[in-house]
Amino acid sequence: MNRRYRKTIIAGNWKMNKTAGETKKFAEELKAVMPKTKWCDVVVCVPAVNIPAAIKAFKDMRVSVGAQNVFYEKSGAYTGEVSADMLKDLGVKYVIIGHSERRQMFGETDFTVNKKVLAALDAGLHPIICVGESLEQRELGITMELIALQVKSALAGVPAEKLRKCVIAYEPIWAIGTGKTATAEQAAEVCTFIRTTVRHLYGARIARSITIQYGGSMKPGNAFELLGQNDIDGGLIGGASLNAGDFMDIINAANQD
Ligand code: 13P
């Protein structure tokens, strides 16, 4: 983290978990342990159908609600899809775009990720853009090439003034839901590389101010070390964000000096 230049953001990605009732219960549990003052921004990305319940539940808590996906068209015959304006209208602030689960299971590509980023920004949402390599790609030694490609294509056509609204999350696929965390050095190496890539595209001032998260089996036991790295400005947390106590422990790890 480097709080002098950029925001620290701890975001939970609930994936396909929790009903509306469970969302309310989680918010009550989190409220009971959450201190009034905090240094980092807290976001919870819930399933689309539970967005209204989450907005209501987190209302007086300084916790922003995020979505996990968005479609890039404004409206029309796109059965099952949700537009950026619809999310904005509900009070959503952040939206995860290009999560590896969506790339692997739902056919998302760098091209659709870019269209979604542009649509989200257009509606005034903050995209959390996910990038990350598979184990095979890491072992082939092509991690950095792949990350550069994913970052550059996701940001194609994004003007500098809108880049400030973007968050980039480095999520190595081999560390997601596997209990296998990247070491702080591995995570920091790629996050620093992402910042360098942004610097080449937008210049040093903007690169210094963009929030770059790490995601992949982040939990109370490893959050402190990961968040202590200069270029890791927060976490995108799956499993450990489902438990209010664990999530709070990670938020506390982000409140370190
Ligand atoms: P886990 O924290 O469960 O590994 O999931 C990470 C993730 O995919 C967050 O988007």
Side-chain angles (χ1 to χ4, degrees):
M1 295 182 292
N2 188 330
R3 256 188 284 273
R4 197 165 145 221
Y5 294 118
R6 47 198 179 253
K7 259 196 226 172
T8 303
I9 305 175
I10 297 295
N13 174 8
W14 281 2
K15 308 190 179 181
M16 199 173 72
N17 290 293
K18 293 197 193 289
T19 60
E22 289 164 345
T23 303
K24 186 167 175 263
K25 185 163 172 278
F26 176 96
E28 284 161 5
E29 288 169 3
L30 191 66
K31 195 171 188 171
V33 290
M34 200 157 180
K36 295 269 171 296
T37 50
K38 56 181 175 57
W39 302 334
C40 73
D41 284 20
V42 179
V43 183
V44 178
C45 300
V46 303
V49 286
N50 291 332
I51 289 170
I55 297 277
K56 197 168 159 211
F58 292 111
K59 196 171 66 212
D60 344 297
M61 288 179 59
R62 291 204 299 162
V63 171
S64 302
V65 173
Q68 300 171 12
N69 184 30
V70 64
F71 193 52
Y72 47 77
E73 293 293 351
K74 277 199 153 312
S75 63
Y78 305 104
T79 303
E81 294 295 329
V82 172
S83 76
D85 286 339
M86 291 171 188
L87 295 177
K88 181 75 180 170
D89 183 54
L90 288 177
V92 166
K93 193 165 170 198
Y94 290 88
V95 57
I96 298 172
I97 296 178
H99 191 280
S100 61
E101 285 151 17
R102 296 215 55 87
R103 292 181 192 251
Q104 289 182 316
M105 288 185 267
F106 302 100
E108 299 232 359
T109 63
D110 287 337
F111 181 69
T112 56
V113 168
N114 175 239
K115 289 177 80 153
K116 290 181 175 197
V117 169
L118 295 172
L121 288 170
D122 221 33
L125 297 170
H126 294 260
I128 301 178
I129 304 162
C130 299
V131 299
E133 82 287 3
S134 66
L135 189 59
E136 292 78 8
Q137 289 161 335
R138 175 159 281 264
E139 285 171 350
L140 279 172
I142 56 170
T143 299
M144 299 310 187
E145 283 94 329
L146 183 94
I147 298 289
L149 187 74
Q150 288 179 335
V151 170
K152 285 180 189 169
S153 33
L155 297 179
V158 174
E161 68 276 11
K162 285 202 174 165
L163 192 79
R164 295 173 191 287
K165 288 194 153 231
C166 298
V167 174
I168 300 179
Y170 168 53
E171 297 211 314
I173 297 169
W174 47 272
I176 294 177
T178 57
K180 212 173 164 186
T181 321
T183 63
E185 293 71 36
Q186 282 172 323
E189 184 189 20
V190 180
C191 289
T192 300
F193 176 77
I194 291 172
R195 200 176 305 286
T196 306
T197 306
V198 173
R199 193 177 69 229
H200 290 153
L201 294 171
Y202 293 92
R205 204 163 49 86
I206 289 178
R208 205 169 57 184
S209 66
I210 190 168
T211 297
I212 301 177
Q213 298 173 315
Y214 167 78
S217 300
M218 190 186 268
K219 40 190 180 267
N222 59 28
F224 193 84
E225 194 188 359
L226 285 160
L227 295 167
Q229 308 298 312
N230 184 56
D231 280 313
I232 301 181
D233 310 311
L236 185 54
I237 300 118
S241 73
L242 296 171
N243 176 287
D246 287 349
F247 193 49
M248 192 61 230
D249 284 347
I250 297 174
I251 296 167
N252 283 332
N255 284 348
Q256 62 186 277
D257 268 321

